[in-house]
Amino acid sequence: MTASTLRTTLVRLAGAVGMLLVAAPGIAQDDTSLTTLLGDEEPARVGDYVGLSSCANGACHGAVQPREGATIRGDEYVTRVLDPHHRAYEILSSRESREIAEALQPGTPATAMSLCLDCHAINVPASKDRGLFRDEGISCEGCHGPAGGWWNRHFEDGWSHQDSLDAGLVDLRSPAARAEQCLGCHQGEPAREVDHRLIAAGHPRLVFELDNYSSLAEIVHWLPDATRARRNGRRASHGLRAWAVGQAVGLREGVALLAHRADPATSSERPWPEFAEYSCESCHHVVGDGAWRRQPGYAFQGGLPPWSRAHWLVLRPLVADVAPDRLDSLDAQVDALADLVASMSRRAEVATTARTLANDLRPVVTALDRARWTTERARRLIDQLVAERERLLASDEASARQLAFSLQSLVAHLVRTDRRLLRDPMVDAVDDLFETLDRPGFDRATFAAELDDVAPSGE
């Protein structure tokens, strides 16, 4: 057994023992760090990644079930086994991933490609890696940040949450910060992105919505907002607040990535246009029956592929409701950017316009973060989103999917406030939207017609 294999075994064994200690009465537990147990020459530093098992002690995050009355659930380590992020690296060994890798770099397995590892594992330089194992997928530090500066101190008396943030913890209490962290992989950023080359090789096009993806029962490893609010007066950080903020951050980060892709100064060696920015059906459509021809009422320039405005379709009613003074300006900027992207040239202008829009969206993020997310506002926004059906008819499948996710978040909020609404027809109507989206070939007319059924009854 090599030294590396021995260390891997010891780390995992220490994590497993830690998980069992909490269930073993009479066994004393101490705060001896794993680094000390394994005899590392020097302590971990800020920016170092220490590995999943550093969180696994039964007295910390390795409990076999949630602890009553604690400030954290305590079973986070166990819960993540059910989390899709846990299987992120494993997916790279699937047949589909092998085919994608072969199309991109023949002879190179997906499990060895940095392009894949950047989002399917914690892919950091060896100098920052103090116990990571790629087969753990996206583990705790993938979302919470490198723990070297705080993991063995954050439980000390007098150590504050701000101390941890200063030492490298990512502030996931903030919906905006959480959206940025998630979107780095789930939408893409300059250092790691799913571009048209990767999509053409077989990778799914990225779709993400913060509230829905955060609320999947299998990955919830935090205390409910209501519980935290009762204990320390904090505002809700999930639900509608996360949904609204996530939409604004999604558009902001999306146009920032667009600016990077288009800017000759940062991407001079890559081709422009980047086809991932366009609606897929601009090119991928049936041509034999003439359905591709420009239809009456088509809102875009004939012969030019439209830019996908998926986040703006949903964000627009939000801005109209929460920050109406900014709506006309943002509308004009989005239209100008869409025209530039559709031109398939003028890349420097695309980059400048996109950066300006990204900057102007920052106060919108703040306004949405500070807004009060009431049941009345949720009902009003459902009506406003349903009223976007005409814009939807001139849009794409990605926009329809964001709209469906948004209506699901709003309806879920109403159901949480009144469980009787579980029997309301609007719940089934939202399910119908997703069924339509999941059928081969996006039927925008059917989807738009189904929107009318998504409204709480008895109003």
Side-chain angles (χ1 to χ4, degrees), residues 51-255:
L52 174 64
S53 295
S54 63
C55 309
N57 188 284
C60 299
H61 299 283
V64 293
Q65 60 186 8
R67 291 194 287 266
E68 292 289 337
T71 56
I72 59 171
R73 283 175 51 122
D75 65 341
E76 294 83 2
Y77 180 89
V78 178
T79 302
R80 79 165 300 278
V81 175
L82 303 175
D83 190 317
H85 293 93
H86 178 64
R87 301 188 292 275
Y89 181 81
E90 178 184 327
I91 290 171
L92 298 183
S93 297
S94 68
R95 176 182 59 81
E96 292 84 357
S97 295
R98 292 197 301 271
E99 291 174 352
I100 293 170
E102 186 65 21
L104 290 170
Q105 296 180 22
T108 305
T111 51
M113 292 175 60
S114 182
L115 175 67
C116 304
L117 294 174
D118 283 346
C119 280
H120 284 267
I122 301 181
N123 193 27
V124 299
S127 61
K128 295 290 185 182
D129 178 351
R130 298 173 58 87
L132 293 178
F133 310 104
R134 285 178 172 172
D135 59 0
E136 291 174 349
I138 303 300
S139 56
C140 307
E141 291 171 291
C143 297
H144 293 275
W150 51 270
W151 74 280
N152 61 349
R153 298 200 61 192
H154 68 290
F155 49 78
E156 294 178 357
D157 290 339
W159 185 270
S160 69
H161 181 66
Q162 186 59 50
D163 289 333
S164 294
L165 295 178
D166 293 341
L169 178 70
V170 176
D171 185 14
L172 299 183
R173 292 181 178 181
S174 160
R178 189 164 70 249
E180 291 175 9
Q181 188 76 342
C182 297
L183 288 166
C185 276
H186 286 277
Q187 179 170 273
E189 59 187 6
R192 45 186 182 176
E193 57 176 306
V194 174
D195 57 12
H196 186 262
R197 174 173 169 263
L198 188 49
I199 294 171
H203 193 287
R205 186 160 186 164
L206 297 179
V207 178
F208 182 73
E209 195 278 295
L210 182 63
D211 179 44
N212 279 282
Y213 277 54
S214 298
S215 299
L216 293 173
E218 61 188 1
I219 66 171
V220 173
H221 55 273
W222 52 84
L223 295 175
D225 276 333
T227 301
R228 290 194 297 249
R230 283 196 301 270
R231 291 180 180 175
N232 53 29
R234 280 165 49 192
R235 294 179 61 212
S237 60
H238 292 80
L240 292 190
R241 182 184 172 205
W243 162 69
V245 171
Q247 291 298 327
V249 175
L251 179 59
R252 188 191 75 197
E253 297 303 295
V255 295

Side-chain angles (χ1 to χ4, degrees), residues 20 35 65 126 160 164 177 179 221 248 257 261 274 289 293 295 321 326 385 399 410 436:
L20 294 173
T35 302
Q65 60 186 8
S160 69
S164 294
H221 55 273
L257 176 58
R261 286 169 164 173
E274 168 51 60
D289 60 0
R293 295 185 183 278
Q295 303 297 316
D321 195 75
R326 297 184 179 275
L385 286 171
S399 301
L410 290 159
T436 297

Side-chain angles (χ1 to χ4, degrees), residues 396-444:
D396 61 349
E397 182 180 357
S399 301
R401 200 167 289 276
Q402 282 297 325
L403 187 55
F405 275 134
S406 296
L407 289 169
Q408 183 167 271
S409 288
L410 290 159
V411 169
H413 172 83
L414 296 182
V415 170
R416 282 194 297 268
T417 60
D418 185 353
R419 303 297 292 180
R420 294 172 298 178
L421 290 175
L422 274 172
R423 297 187 296 274
D424 193 287
M426 67 177 176
V427 176
D428 291 333
V430 171
D431 290 340
D432 290 343
L433 294 178
F434 283 101
E435 287 183 12
T436 297
L437 286 169
D438 290 338
R439 296 187 194 115
F442 174 45
D443 187 344
R444 90 172 23 80

